[in-house]
């Protein structure tokens, strides 16, 4: 082939390429959220490009195809891509659902209430196809075996049970065969860790022979051992006042419950003067009564500034009756001959 012809052919070929490129389309400009496969640098008129939405997004409207037109432009891009959502999670029985969003890559965390164990995945993720990576889990109650039965005792179920398991929260009441006494918890529960609470014991309870109280007495036939809940009654000698419970009971521990005490009466520790007792005034030499525990007696004191008398009371506490500090015992002389000047006899303040 002559050299000139070769050159001509080459020139024609080059011209042809330029013409084609002028009339074709360049690489289409896509949006960030779209992809397409095998993009070329040049497209001839009439060529189509099929677009897809990126992973996790779904086409919501518009055609997925654009075409290179004869004028060298792409047809208008109408496709829109929106984030794909997974379905809203449902409420979990006996558990909580934790999530912020339900779009691609969101996660849901599930937790079960105390006493419930999870069956299934505790976390699930929203996948690109709009499906959750795992179905929601279930929260199933913890089970305990049957409750322990105390020796010499029995179990009363709150609700009828079938099979040989109990579920979390089920309760029972324990009972002991008479005359044994239930020591410990009368109620039992299936706990969150699958075990029953500590069962009680059934034991025989007796209390030792009860003892006397000082200045008092107890029921005549009491000096023997007693069974659980038996009682002994106490009383006090004359003039003594019973303080505390009248009865003492034999407890589960084999001890007696608190016993009362007998509180002593008081005498009025003055020799000369007048007192006020139960609303009446008495000269002390004429006063023959005993003041009982907790009773009040008033003594007379002198207000020296105003030259008047006033009564001040004191309480008998288990044999002790304090004489007020302001009280002054008069001399024999004053008491016998000038008694009208005593604080109890002059004008009262
Ligand atoms: C789920 O748990 C993971 C790990 O504990 C945590 O990073 C994430 O924030 C939790 N998601 C939600 C929605 O609570
Ligand atoms: C409970 O009963 C099932 C069959 O009814 C038995 O296989 C299982 O061993 C029992 N479990 C206990 C703790 O008794
Ligand atoms: C189960 O829980 C109770 C309290 O609810 C506890 O006293 C007991 O020790 C626990 N048992 C085990 C095996 O963890
Ligand atoms: C009850 O009796 C037990 C022995 O049976 C004794 O250890 C305990 O101290 C007693 N409790 C009281 C409050 O007296």
């Amino acid at each position: 082939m002559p050299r000139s012809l070769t050159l001509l052919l080459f020139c024609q070929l080059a011209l042809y390429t330029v013409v084609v490129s002028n009339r074709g389309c360049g690489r289409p400009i896509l949006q960030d959220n779209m992809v397409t496969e095998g993009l070329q640098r040049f497209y001839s008129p009439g060529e189509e490009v099929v677009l897809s939405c990126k992973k996790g997004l779904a086409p919501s409207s518009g055609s997925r195809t654009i075409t290179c037109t004869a004028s060298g432009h792409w047809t208008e891009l109408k496709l829109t891509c929106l984030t794909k959502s997974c379905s809203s999670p449902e409420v979990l029985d006996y558990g909580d659902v934790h999530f912020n969003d339900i779009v691609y890559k969101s996660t849901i965390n599930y937790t079960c209430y105390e006493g419930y164990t999870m069956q299934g995945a505790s976390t699930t993720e929203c996948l690109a196809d709009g499906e959750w990576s795992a179905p929601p889990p279930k929260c199933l109650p913890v089970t305990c075996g049957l409750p322990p039965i105390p020796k010499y005792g029995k179990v009363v179920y709150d609700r009828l049970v079938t099979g040989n398991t109990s579920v979390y929260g089920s309760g029972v009441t324990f009972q002991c065969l008479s005359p044994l006494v239930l020591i410990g918890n009368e109620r039992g529960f299936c706990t969150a860790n699958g075990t029953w609470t500590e069962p009680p014991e059934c034991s025989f309870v007796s209390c030792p022979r009860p003892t006397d109280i000082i200045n008092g007495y107890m029921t005549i036939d009491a000096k023997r051992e007693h069974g659980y809940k038996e009682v002994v009654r106490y009383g006090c000698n004359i003039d003594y006042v019973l303080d505390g419970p009248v009865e003492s009971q034999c407890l589960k521990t084999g001890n007696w419950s608190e016993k009362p005490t007998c509180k002593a009466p008081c005498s009025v520790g003055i020799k000369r003067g007048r007192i006020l007792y139960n609303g009446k005034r008495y000269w002390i030499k004429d006063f023959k009564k005993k003041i009982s525990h907790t009773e009040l007696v008033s003594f007379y004191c002198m207000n020296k500034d105003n030259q008047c008398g006033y009564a001040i009371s004191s309480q008998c506490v288990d044999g002790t009756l304090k004489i007020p500090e302001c009280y002054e015992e008069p001399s024999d002389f004053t008491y016998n001959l000038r008694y009208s000047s005593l604080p109890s006899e002059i004008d009262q303040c």
Side-chain angles (χ1 to χ4, degrees), residues 47-118:
E47 266 196 279
E48 287 186 341
V49 168
V50 180
L51 304 169
S52 317
C53 291
K54 267 194 178 162
K55 206 171 176 192
L57 304 177
S60 75
S61 66
S63 164
R64 291 182 54 194
T65 313
I66 51 172
T67 313
C68 181
T69 60
S71 61
H73 293 108
W74 290 103
T75 51
E76 199 187 341
L77 178 59
K78 286 196 173 138
L79 176 68
T80 52
C81 292
L82 289 181
T83 314
K84 216 180 241 185
S85 284
C86 285
S87 54
S88 290
E90 281 176 24
V91 177
L92 186 63
D93 286 339
Y94 309 111
D96 287 319
V97 180
H98 313 271
F99 68 100
N100 298 324
D101 214 339
I102 52 166
V103 296
Y104 176 52
K105 288 202 159 136
S106 303
T107 55
I108 301 177
N109 294 339
Y110 294 97
T111 51
C112 289
Y113 297 156
E114 189 185 328
Y116 291 81
T117 48
M118 194 173 289

Side-chain angles (χ1 to χ4, degrees), residues 8-25:
L8 181 69
L9 198 64
F10 177 77
C11 284
Q12 270 187 340
L13 206 65
L15 191 68
Y16 175 77
T17 310
V18 169
V19 166
V20 165
S21 72
N22 275 348
R23 289 178 55 223
C25 299

Side-chain angles (χ1 to χ4, degrees), residues 179-182 205-207 226-230 249-252:
L180 297 172
V181 178
L182 187 143
V205 168
S206 75
C207 288
H226 284 68
Y228 174 54
K229 280 197 170 166
E230 275 196 275
Q249 194 178 44
C250 177
L251 303 177
K252 283 182 177 182

Side-chain angles (χ1 to χ4, degrees), residues 70 86 133 148-149 208 234 260:
C86 285
S133 65
I149 301 172
Y234 286 96

